Amino acid sequence: MLLNKVIEKDNLDKTNAWPFVEAKKLLRERKSFITKKGKIILQTGYGPSGLPHIGTFGEVARTSMMVNALRQLTDTPTEIITFSDDMDGLRKVPENVPNQELLNNNLHKPLTQVPDPFEKFSSFGEHNNEMLKDFLNKFNFEYNFQSSSVLYKGGFFNPTLQIILENYQGIMDIILPTLGKERQKTYSPFLPISPDTGKVLEIPVLEILKEKSKIIFDNNGKKLEVSILDGNCKLQWKVDWAMRWYALDVDFEMYGKDLIESAILSSRIIKLIGKTNPSGFAYELFLDERGEKISKSKGNGITIDQWLEYASPESLSLYMYQNPKRAKKLYKEIVPKTVDEYLDLIEKAKNQNELQLLMNPVWHVHNGLIPKEDTIMSFSMLLNLVETSNADSKELLWKFVKKYKKNLLEKEHPIFDNLIGYAIKYFNDVIKLKKKYKTPNASEKVALEALVKSLGGCNDKMLPEDIQTLIYSTGKENGYTENLRDWFKLIYEVVFGDENGPRMGFFISFFGVNETKELIKEKIK
């Protein structure tokens, strides 16, 4: 992916946009390793025990933003490995998939050995992997997908697994102090795959046969002798993470705040077996509207597909860019605010110098190629327009918009054209269901009737600011001198069924003076 131009070194040195900060840190910490291999490898991890969610996308999007920064800082080639831990055992049945009984009957088997409940692929793991790849491809991400099952069974991990076995006791000395007394008795870094049931077993070790690359386990009183190679065993999570870093020679990986302790232990393990841990970046977690962590198995929050029904991929990327080290709520009502921020940042970019552009999130969203399109109106305003115009298709809403903005051409406004479709969908799916229109009392009705009368002295050629001033004056003259906020809240609740709404002067200048008068009259009948 090409950048539009080379940024001046002085500006690269000065910017404190987080992708550049982290890229510089990576180049500093891994300088000798990167120079030796002539490549920078960044990894993102995915556990396909449930359908891909926005957190998964966020990891790839943010890592891609770092790659964009790296390409301004160095000529060294970069690669993002998107790794799927699909040999992990299915621990619980996700709530948001069909055929629950089928999955329940295959608990603890590697995800690539669990039948696909959607009956589309050879396994549940493969189904979720393909969903992830399809999604990442829609965003044109550059990545190298790697499957845990393929690398274990194909022998790629064999040399590193033997190193892990050679350092078995050292790894136990790192992990055991972090476990409870009962867990210490049964813990093993290696998890054998049962030759009888196909399940991933968590059973104690009886004997290590290093020269044969085998382990003898205690399987409920029976000896189970298993090779650690070729996918006959997999590693426990923290050891597996370190092994992956070692085998794939990873230079950077970001991870959720909940994995900080795991990252510390995995870093100690990779140092024990002979390499230095990659640079890391711990991001805060995504929460749903109740403040609960978003979970693949629960399917809470907003899904990737839902966001893309209501807003552009670029708006989702913007949401991922902003404040990665702050916990963020992620649900449907977040969408309009994020879209409006996106439009506002595009407008600001038009008058920014190079250093300011590097601090503008849309530079990172668009990899330096920021759209030049002029903003016609905010997404919030467009949502109000969907309601007041009763438009139920893009064609109808475009006709309504062109009634007041006659010179607009769809082909010159692709962002706005898409926005119209998103607004109709979002209004009908989300806003319409929550509308609560206020019935004004006697004094409130008098105030609104006074507003209709005041608008009688306006015309469609008046500036939005002048109309706004007239609305202020009407409010002051009708009992809202002390609190104009309550005046506008009244208008919004009666006209739009919400406590908040558009800047009325702008809305009226676009929607039309007579149309607004009729709209208010209709609402206060």
Side-chain angles (χ1 to χ4, degrees):
M1 191 181 295
L2 297 174
L3 293 162
N4 57 346
K5 67 172 184 173
V6 176
I7 303 295
E8 288 184 17
K9 185 179 183 304
D10 190 44
N11 288 329
L12 291 174
D13 291 339
K14 288 179 181 176
T15 183
N16 61 350
W18 73 257
F20 280 102
V21 171
E22 294 303 318
K24 291 171 193 174
K25 175 172 169 276
L26 163 61
L27 292 172
R28 188 170 60 249
E29 291 180 348
R30 301 284 298 179
K31 183 177 179 181
S32 60
F33 307 106
I34 292 168
T35 302
K36 186 176 179 181
K37 65 184 174 185
K39 188 176 187 178
I40 303 170
I41 297 174
L42 306 91
Q43 181 174 242
T44 67
Y46 168 56
S49 57
L51 307 179
H53 64 77
I54 281 180
T56 308
F57 161 74
E59 206 165 293
V60 181
R62 288 167 172 167
T63 304
S64 298
M65 289 170 188
M66 267 196 63
V67 166
N68 295 339
L70 282 166
R71 288 176 179 171
Q72 285 287 353
L73 297 166
T74 177
D75 293 329
T76 306
T78 56
E79 177 187 10
I80 295 176
I81 293 175
T82 295
F83 189 92
S84 172
D85 191 12
D86 56 17
M87 201 168 160
D88 197 22
L90 178 65
R91 292 181 180 85
K92 61 179 180 179
V93 177
E95 297 171 13
N96 57 343
V97 297
N99 289 318
Q100 300 266 309
E101 188 177 349
L102 174 71
L103 293 181
N104 203 52
N105 291 336
N106 285 275
L107 283 173
H108 307 297
K109 288 183 181 178
L111 291 159
T112 45
Q113 299 302 313
V114 175
D116 179 15
F118 297 91
E119 300 178 346
K120 293 180 179 178
F121 295 93
S122 61
S123 70
F124 188 39
E126 185 184 351
H127 174 274
N128 292 339
N129 286 343
E130 290 304 316
M131 281 196 66
L132 176 68
K133 286 189 279 186
D134 285 347
F135 173 68
L136 297 180
N137 291 340
K138 286 178 189 173
F139 283 84
N140 296 315
F141 285 127
E142 296 175 20
Y143 66 96
N144 173 14
F145 180 83
Q146 293 289 352
S147 156
S148 178
S149 294
V150 170
L151 295 185
Y152 266 106
K153 293 178 180 179
F156 177 84
F157 284 148
N158 283 354
T160 315
L161 289 168
Q162 288 175 314
I163 294 171
I164 296 285
L165 191 63
E166 287 292 330
N167 290 274
Y168 181 90
Q169 191 54 51
I171 290 169
M172 293 290 279
D173 291 343
I174 291 170
I175 297 292
L176 287 183
T178 69
L179 305 175
K181 285 195 176 352
E182 287 304 309
R183 186 73 185 93
Q184 286 179 0
K185 294 175 185 176
T186 60
Y187 180 83
S188 165
F190 290 90
L191 304 174
I193 312 300
S194 171
D196 299 322
T197 65
K199 293 181 178 180
V200 181
L201 303 176
E202 294 200 32
I203 51 178
V205 169
L206 291 175
E207 189 178 351
I208 305 286
L209 306 175
K210 290 183 180 178
E211 68 286 350
K212 294 183 178 179
S213 300
K214 288 186 174 182
I215 297 176
I216 298 175
F217 293 90
D218 177 2
N219 189 18
N220 292 321
K222 295 181 181 179
K223 287 185 177 182
L224 175 63
E225 184 176 316
V226 180
S227 168
I228 64 162
L229 308 176
D230 303 323
N232 290 294
C233 279
K234 83 170 296 288
L235 293 173
Q236 288 271 16
W237 153 238
K238 298 176 185 72
V239 188
D240 187 271
W241 203 7
M243 184 272 295
R244 192 191 310 166
W245 286 344
Y246 185 104
L248 297 169
D249 213 7
V250 176
D251 295 298
F252 175 88
E253 182 160 4
M254 59 174 61
Y255 43 83
K257 186 180 176 182
D258 56 337
L259 295 182
I260 288 176
E261 291 302 317
S262 296
I264 291 169
L265 291 173
S266 297
S267 295
R268 290 180 63 192
I269 292 167
I270 192 174
K271 286 175 183 174
L272 174 72
I273 63 177
K275 284 191 180 181
T276 302
N277 59 287
S279 285
F281 178 89
Y283 57 85
E284 265 287 3
L285 305 178
F286 296 103
L287 310 173
D288 65 13
E289 59 267 44
R290 294 182 297 276
E292 295 178 4
K293 177 187 168 185
I294 285 179
S295 161
K296 290 194 294 287
S297 60
K298 288 183 182 177
N300 55 336
I302 183 173
T303 68
I304 291 164
D305 290 337
Q306 283 172 333
W307 188 294
L308 296 180
E309 284 182 353
Y310 302 143
S312 67
E314 292 78 16
S315 66
L316 179 53
S317 292
L318 169 65
Y319 191 80
M320 292 303 158
Y321 175 88
Q322 294 171 316
N323 305 310
K325 293 201 172 185
R326 187 187 303 166
K328 299 163 77 173
K329 289 189 175 181
L330 192 52
Y331 51 99
K332 291 176 184 176
E333 285 72 15
I334 291 291
V335 174
K337 180 175 179 286
T338 306
V339 174
D340 283 342
E341 286 175 355
Y342 171 71
L343 297 174
D344 186 50
L345 289 166
I346 288 176
E347 283 301 307
K348 286 180 178 175
K350 294 172 183 175
N351 300 307
Q352 289 179 323
N353 62 35
E354 189 173 74
L355 183 57
Q356 289 170 328
L357 284 172
L358 293 182
M359 288 300 298
N360 188 327
V362 292
W363 188 94
H364 300 273
V365 168
H366 287 281
N367 195 13
L369 301 171
I370 302 172
K372 305 294 185 186
E373 182 177 326
D374 290 329
T375 299
I376 297 171
M377 70 178 74
S378 69
F379 190 53
S380 302
M381 167 81 170
L382 191 54
L383 289 168
N384 291 128
L385 212 56
V386 172
E387 175 184 11
T388 51
S389 67
N390 289 316
D392 58 2
S393 71
K394 281 181 71 173
E395 292 73 25
L396 276 175
L397 198 53
W398 258 118
K399 283 180 182 177
F400 191 85
V401 170
K402 285 182 176 181
K403 182 178 176 183
Y404 301 100
K405 296 278 184 178
K406 294 183 171 56
N407 297 323
L408 289 182
L409 296 173
E410 287 99 319
K411 64 181 181 181
E412 293 177 1
H413 293 86
I415 293 176
F416 185 71
D417 181 52
N418 287 329
L419 219 58
I420 283 180
Y422 293 136
I424 293 169
K425 177 70 174 168
Y426 187 86
F427 178 80
N428 287 321
D429 284 6
V430 182
I431 295 178
K432 197 174 183 178
L433 305 176
K434 296 185 176 181
K435 286 287 182 184
K436 291 181 181 177
Y437 293 94
K438 179 182 177 72
T439 302
N441 61 31
S443 62
E444 290 169 339
K445 188 173 181 181
V446 167
L448 290 169
E449 286 171 341
L451 177 58
V452 172
K453 187 175 180 181
S454 297
L455 289 175
C458 299
N459 61 65
D460 291 335
K461 292 181 181 179
M462 284 181 67
L463 293 173
E465 292 80 7
D466 294 336
I467 300 174
Q468 188 78 6
T469 300
L470 183 142
I471 300 169
Y472 275 117
S473 300
T474 306
K476 288 178 179 178
E477 292 164 5
N478 287 273
Y480 292 91
T481 306
E482 298 299 320
N483 198 338
L484 280 166
R485 186 176 178 181
D486 284 349
W487 168 231
F488 283 97
K489 183 182 174 186
L490 171 66
I491 297 170
Y492 296 146
E493 288 181 328
V494 171
V495 177
F496 301 113
D498 202 330
E499 289 187 3
N500 302 296
R503 187 167 176 81
M504 288 304 297
F506 183 75
F507 176 82
I508 294 168
S509 71
F510 194 93
F511 188 63
V513 172
N514 288 329
E515 285 81 358
T516 305
K517 285 165 55 182
E518 293 306 313
L519 180 63
I520 297 171
K521 286 180 187 176
E522 179 66 28
K523 297 293 184 181
I524 62 175
K525 275 183 182 177

